[in-house]
């Protein structure tokens, strides 16, 4: 009686790294590299970090840039708060800063958002509008439900480099670096459905 040996047909496993990598991995790295990361190190090779290779994290990128590129001065340019007031109306409170030091000026504006998205400016007194005290800001936000809180900053760094970035609460959602005479510019933003997009411009 002959013994029948079963034949097992196996297919080599394909890893996710093999499938999802948009470009060849750099030498010595087994992880895929995103196009945004390629653009990042093309503009600013000093910010190379393998942990950002597959997916650029803007909060981590901002921390890395602060570590590698020393900040001389940081200035809050704008703060925009989206909220529902006590009457459940959708509102936007914006604080814009200009100038520096003793000449710094802050302008407050308030808008109501209609159901169809149309914005209506709310009339304010001069004390409310120009260099408002904290109590005035607090009164607008009394019993409010905060939906978004965006901060936009301008950082002046060494070697003529400037950084601008936007936070929504603690998460960085936009980050830009620009070198002297705009010879190299990096622009990164978090785009709905597309994720993090970084582009590099060099002259």
């Amino acid at each position: 009686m002959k013994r029948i040996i079963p034949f097992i047909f196996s297919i080599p496993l394909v890893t996710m790294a093999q499938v999802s990598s948009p470009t060849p991995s750099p030498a010595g790295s087994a992880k895929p590299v995103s196009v945004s990361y390629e653009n990042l190190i093309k503009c600013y090779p000093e910010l190379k970090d393998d942990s950002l290779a597959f997916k650029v994290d803007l909060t981590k990128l901002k921390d890395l840039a602060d570590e590698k590129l020393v900040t001389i001065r940081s200035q809050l340019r704008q703060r925009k708060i989206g909220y529902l007031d006590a009457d459940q109306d959708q509102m936007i409170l914006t604080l814009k800063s200009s100038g520096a030091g003793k000449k710094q000026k802050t302008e407050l504006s308030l808008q109501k958002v209609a159901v169809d998205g149309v914005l209506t400016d709310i009339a304010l007194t001069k004390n409310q509008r120009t260099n408002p005290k904290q109590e005035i800001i607090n009164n607008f936000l009394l019993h409010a439900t905060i939906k978004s809180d965006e901060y936009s900053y301008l950082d002046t760094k060494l070697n003529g480099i400037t950084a601008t970035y936007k936070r929504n609460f603690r998460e960085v959602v936009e980050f830009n670096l620009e070198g002297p005479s705009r010879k190299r510019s990096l622009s990164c933003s978090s785009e709905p459905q597309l994720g993090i997009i970084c582009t590099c411009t060099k002259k």
Side-chain angles (χ1 to χ4, degrees):
M1 182 176 181
K2 293 183 179 181
R3 183 182 178 186
I4 299 175
I5 302 176
F7 176 76
I8 300 176
F9 180 74
S10 62
I11 301 175
L13 293 176
V14 179
T15 66
M16 286 302 294
Q18 292 172 310
V19 172
S20 62
S21 176
T23 57
S25 298
S29 174
K31 295 182 179 180
V33 177
S34 70
V35 174
S36 287
Y37 181 68
E38 287 184 333
N39 288 331
L40 164 62
I41 59 177
K42 176 183 176 183
C43 255
Y44 290 88
E46 58 267 49
L47 299 181
K48 182 178 180 180
D49 188 314
D50 289 343
S51 66
L52 300 174
F54 179 64
K55 181 181 179 181
V56 177
D57 182 312
L58 296 186
T59 304
K60 185 170 184 178
L61 174 59
K62 190 265 178 188
D63 291 341
L64 179 63
D66 287 345
E67 179 185 335
K68 301 289 185 179
L69 307 169
V70 179
T71 299
I72 301 173
R73 183 176 65 255
S74 182
Q75 180 182 356
L76 175 63
R77 298 193 305 173
Q78 178 175 288
R79 183 181 180 187
K80 182 181 288 187
I81 305 172
Y83 65 98
L84 295 178
D85 65 11
D87 297 322
Q88 296 301 297
D89 289 325
Q90 189 173 343
M91 309 291 291
I92 297 176
L93 184 151
T94 303
L95 294 165
K96 287 186 178 180
S97 298
S98 60
K102 294 181 179 180
K103 294 184 178 180
Q104 184 170 348
K105 181 180 179 182
T106 301
E107 289 286 335
L108 184 151
S109 62
L110 191 65
Q111 296 173 306
K112 183 176 180 179
V113 185
V115 178
D116 58 3
V118 176
L119 301 178
T120 302
D121 292 330
I122 305 299
L124 302 174
T125 66
K126 184 178 180 180
N127 287 340
Q128 291 174 323
R129 185 176 62 253
T130 304
N131 294 325
K133 294 181 179 180
Q134 188 62 50
E135 306 90 82
I136 292 176
I137 299 172
N138 292 344
N139 284 336
F140 284 122
L141 301 176
L142 190 64
H143 303 304
T145 302
I146 308 298
K147 294 296 185 178
S148 63
D149 193 355
E150 294 182 349
Y151 295 79
S152 297
Y153 284 87
L154 169 64
D155 285 0
T156 303
K157 297 180 176 292
L158 293 177
N159 304 321
I161 296 175
T162 58
T164 58
Y165 63 94
K166 182 187 292 182
R167 288 185 184 276
N168 187 16
F169 295 108
R170 294 184 178 183
E171 181 184 5
V172 176
V173 294
E174 187 177 299
F175 184 78
N176 307 288
L177 279 176
E178 188 168 273
S181 302
R182 298 183 178 180
K183 289 184 178 180
R184 54 174 179 164
S185 300
L186 175 73
S187 177
C188 296
S189 60
S190 178
E191 302 294 338
Q193 299 179 343
L194 296 176
I196 305 301
I197 303 296
C198 292
T199 58
C200 172
T201 303
K202 297 180 77 174
K203 294 182 179 180

